[in-house]
């Protein structure tokens, strides 16, 4: 039995399940529809795939070693999270006029809203960019993966295995979150509850984006 692999699986599960920007984006999209939530979840897993691939290829070390490049990714990530956060807060404010007894209107059916297919693509893109532009991920993978490569074992196959475990965890966890939100949809999509969730996710994303931008300024 591979004790290190079992230990890494537990660490990876905790890392993936920890609430953060990825979780907030998946929940917010799942409030619109199950397809949007699952698309965002797949996008998050795609972002993780990018980070793990970079770590395996050694390019993440270059990103961390070059302050200007790392700062650029951090700046883009902060701006994008602020964009999503402010959008969620604006949506929460706009919902204030919706009576609690009114039936929720799917995003694709709102006036000026995108067609369902475009909405799904947008959700996929949001999930991917939220994770791919996370500047903390390369540091995390570079510091974590080598600790679970046994001494004397070839690093590349082992690192590929560990990277696969992380992505697989994401492909299980985030779609499960989206499906759970959709399952609770009749309650979660009540205007008052939706406003609260929009406000919470918006505040979380805005705060995370602001922290990234402050770190860029102070760097």
């Amino acid at each position: 039995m591979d004790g290190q692999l079992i230990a890494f699986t537990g660490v990876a599960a905790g890392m993936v399940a920890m609430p953060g920007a990825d979780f907030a984006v998946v929940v917010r999209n799942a409030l619109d529809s199950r397809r949007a939530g699952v698309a965002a979840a797949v996008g998050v897993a795609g972002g993780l795939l990018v980070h793990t691939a970079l770590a395996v290829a050694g390019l993440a070390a270059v990103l961390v070693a070059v302050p200007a490049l790392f700062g650029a990714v951090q700046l883009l990530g902060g701006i994008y999270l602020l964009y999503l956060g402010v959008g969620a807060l604006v949506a929460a404010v706009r919902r204030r006029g919706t009576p609690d007894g009114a039936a929720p209107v799917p995003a694709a059916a709102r006036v000026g809203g995108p067609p369902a297919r475009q909405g799904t693509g947008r959700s996929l893109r949001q999930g991917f960019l939220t994770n791919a532009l996370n500047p903390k991920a390369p540091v995390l993978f570079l510091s974590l993966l080598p600790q679970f490569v046994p001494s004397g074992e070839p690093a590349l196959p082992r690192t590929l295995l560990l990277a696969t475990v992380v992505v697989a965890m994401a492909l299980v966890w985030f779609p499960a979150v989206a499906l759970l939100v959709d399952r609770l949809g009749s309650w979660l999509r009540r205007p008052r509850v939706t406003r609260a969730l929009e406000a919470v996710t918006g505040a979380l994303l805005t705060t995370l984006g602001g922290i990234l931008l402050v770190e860029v300024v102070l760097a």
Side-chain angles (χ1 to χ4, degrees):
M1 182 177 293
D2 193 331
Q4 282 193 322
L5 182 59
I6 294 175
F8 176 79
T9 302
V11 172
M15 180 180 67
V16 169
M18 185 179 300
D22 297 334
F23 184 87
V25 167
V26 171
V27 169
R28 183 167 185 250
N29 278 278
L31 286 172
D32 282 339
S33 72
R34 177 170 55 188
R35 290 180 61 187
V38 172
V42 173
V44 168
L48 275 173
L49 181 61
V50 170
H51 288 301
T52 54
L54 290 177
V56 170
L59 296 178
V62 176
L63 176 64
V64 174
V66 181
L69 185 58
F70 185 82
V73 174
Q74 197 168 16
L75 179 63
L76 289 174
I79 292 173
Y80 189 67
L81 288 182
L82 278 178
Y83 166 76
L84 294 180
V86 171
L89 292 174
V90 169
V93 172
R94 286 178 175 173
R95 291 179 191 272
R96 291 181 63 184
T98 305
D100 285 338
V105 181
R110 296 172 194 148
V111 176
R117 184 173 300 177
Q118 292 182 11
T120 301
R122 183 172 59 182
S123 300
L124 179 69
R125 185 168 59 252
Q126 283 185 1
F128 177 79
L129 289 177
T130 298
N131 190 278
L133 293 177
N134 178 6
K136 306 295 183 182
V139 179
L140 178 62
F141 282 112
L142 282 176
S143 61
L144 183 64
L145 295 184
Q147 298 181 34
F148 294 91
V149 177
S151 178
E153 184 173 323
L156 182 58
R158 181 69 172 194
T159 306
L160 283 171
L161 174 61
L162 298 178
T164 301
V165 169
V166 174
V167 176
M169 288 282 184
L171 284 172
V172 171
W173 171 249
F174 288 109
V177 170
L179 293 176
L180 177 61
V181 171
D182 181 71
R183 184 75 173 176
L184 299 173
S186 59
W187 180 74
L188 292 177
R189 292 190 180 96
R190 292 177 180 176
R192 182 175 299 176
V193 178
T194 301
R195 286 198 303 271
L197 287 173
E198 290 276 15
V200 170
T201 56
L204 175 61
L205 291 170
T206 302
T207 301
L208 292 174
I211 290 173
L212 288 179
L213 293 181
V214 169
E215 289 180 352
V216 172
V217 172
L218 297 179

